[in-house]
Amino acid sequence: MNNYLDTTVDVYKQAALKPDVGLCCTTTPIWQLPELRIPKIMQEMNYGCGSTVHPRDLVNNPKILYVGVGGGMEVLQFAYFSRQKAGVIGVDIVDEMLAACDENLSTAENENPWFQRDYVELRKGTALHLPVEDSSIDVAAQNCLFNIFTQEDLKQALAEMFRVLKPYGRLVLSDPITENHMPESLRNDSRLRALCLSGSLSLKDYLKMITDAGFGTVEIRAKRPYRILAPGQYDTEEMIFLDSVEVCAIKDPMPADGPCVFTGKAAIYFGTEEYFDDHKGHILMNNQPLSICDKTAAAITNLGRNDIYVSESTFFYDGGGCC
């Protein structure tokens, strides 16, 4: 599979020259914001599987990096919040995609009075060797790109993102995952991998790759059904279900007892006291849910109390809570 990256470049070269609306299936694009108009061509060239644009990440004039620019929709959305010269850096290895994105951004400038073309700086480069300085980025993002990589290359891409982020910077990702067995014949099919179908990891393995890169806090923000690889249509004897997952990884210090991973669990204390204090930084007010990381959920569960409820993972975490 030595040529899988070449195949990927060719797939997205063709997608740049002729928009392929069905290439990916974004479920949560931000199309409606005050005074923001997304050109139709950007929507047609939106080759992601979720959204990486979250307003709560984009405060205090952040410097933003977006890898794999596509038609430019998400770099435009990021620029909406940044609004400064070169506030958004878009990186792509495909010349034709960079050219298409540049043209689409000029169209967006004509349709959006607030947008100036120099808000976005496009650079040629690869996620494996980012043309970006160390510790210079507040928010980095990629959408439906990292799942294409082999695990060895994914490790390198995550290390590069970690390198360019400032301390406490945020990496926002959207990728397909699967809990089903992926046959090697599909994993080794370079075109299916380029189409974001056969490189998917399990959520557990995906998160471990992220935390192994050094990110001390990881948030699962959304998980949704994405695609099905069915027997007879693909080389598989069993149905393979793909979900798309949206994740935020924070470059904060790694806790001594391991990373804090939020998968949407909550704890509710319903005992006779006003609150419950585990004396480890977690205070549960009576009958008020508190978002907790999986590590804290396990510790509270292990207490064996019958007056604390710990929920299963909802795979939706929207901030707050404690670890």
Side-chain angles (χ1 to χ4, degrees):
M1 201 170 56
N2 293 332
N3 66 341
Y4 87 96
L5 293 177
D6 293 334
T7 300
T8 300
V9 168
D10 184 64
V11 166
Y12 289 93
K13 173 183 176 180
Q14 298 305 317
L17 295 173
K18 183 180 180 181
D20 186 350
V21 177
L23 184 62
C24 291
C25 179
T26 300
T27 54
T28 56
I30 301 176
W31 288 348
Q32 300 296 327
L33 288 169
E35 299 182 349
L36 173 63
R37 291 180 57 85
I38 305 291
K40 181 180 179 181
I41 186 64
M42 283 187 174
Q43 298 178 34
E44 293 174 347
M45 297 179 66
N46 180 25
Y47 304 135
C49 61
S51 179
T52 60
V53 183
H54 298 269
R56 64 181 174 276
D57 299 328
L58 304 172
V59 296
N60 301 322
N61 303 117
K63 187 79 168 184
I64 301 161
L65 168 67
Y66 189 74
V67 182
V69 296
M73 188 180 87
E74 286 192 275
V75 293
L76 176 63
Q77 293 170 350
F78 279 122
Y80 178 90
F81 292 94
S82 178
R83 302 198 186 195
Q84 56 184 302
K85 184 176 181 180
V88 180
I89 298 172
V91 172
D92 207 296
I93 193 61
V94 182
D95 290 324
E96 292 80 3
M97 195 65 80
L98 287 168
C101 181
D102 184 43
E103 182 176 350
N104 295 347
L105 288 171
S106 295
T107 300
E109 186 175 33
N110 293 330
E111 297 184 12
N112 292 270
W114 60 269
F115 178 62
Q116 298 178 30
R117 176 60 189 83
D118 64 5
Y119 287 172
V120 177
E121 178 185 344
L122 298 178
R123 299 180 184 178
K124 183 174 181 178
T126 170
L128 304 179
H129 302 284
L130 290 170
V132 180
E133 299 76 16
D134 294 358
S135 303
S136 61
I137 299 296
D138 296 294
V139 177
Q142 69 81 28
N143 195 334
C144 211
L145 169 64
F146 281 11
N147 72 97
I148 294 173
F149 293 137
T150 62
Q151 290 196 41
E152 181 180 353
D153 285 342
L154 176 56
K155 181 179 179 180
Q156 174 65 20
L158 288 167
E160 278 290 276
M161 289 292 210
F162 191 87
R163 174 184 67 81
V164 302
L165 281 170
K166 298 176 182 177
Y168 301 98
R170 296 178 173 224
L171 170 59
V172 189
L173 314 97
S174 180
D175 282 302
I177 57 169
T178 184
E179 302 307 319
N180 299 126
H181 170 69
M182 185 72 70
E184 287 302 307
S185 60
L186 297 185
R187 285 208 182 276
N188 294 330
D189 186 315
S190 59
R191 181 166 179 82
L192 290 181
R193 186 174 280 273
L195 293 173
C196 309
L197 294 177
S198 65
S200 303
L201 300 174
S202 69
L203 180 60
K204 180 180 178 180
D205 289 343
Y206 182 76
L207 295 177
K208 187 176 188 302
M209 295 287 292
I210 294 170
T211 56
D212 283 352
F215 292 95
T217 301
V218 180
E219 304 172 354
I220 307 297
R221 292 180 168 176
K223 184 165 83 74
R224 303 178 182 86
Y226 180 60
R227 294 288 176 86
I228 294 175
L229 307 184
Q233 300 175 18
Y234 296 90
D235 184 18
T236 175
E237 296 180 358
E238 299 179 352
M239 198 85 74
I240 300 174
F241 297 90
L242 303 182
D243 291 307
S244 67
V245 65
E246 295 175 15
V247 173
C248 176
I250 303 174
K251 185 180 176 179
D252 54 8
M254 182 67 68
D257 58 350
C260 297
V261 179
F262 289 85
T263 62
K265 292 186 176 182
I268 303 177
Y269 169 65
F270 54 96
T272 58
E273 304 297 326
E274 182 180 358
Y275 62 88
F276 167 79
D277 185 350
D278 71 349
H279 303 290
K280 295 181 180 179
H282 313 110
I283 296 177
L284 304 178
M285 302 305 296
N286 196 295
N287 221 18
Q288 296 185 25
L290 179 70
S291 296
I292 53 175
C293 73
D294 286 13
K295 184 172 57 179
T296 299
I300 291 177
T301 299
N302 289 338
L303 295 176
R305 296 181 64 110
N306 61 9
D307 57 0
I308 300 178
Y309 168 79
V310 177
S311 77
E312 297 295 325
S313 298
T314 62
F315 303 109
F316 174 77
Y317 175 75
D318 199 30
C322 63
C323 192

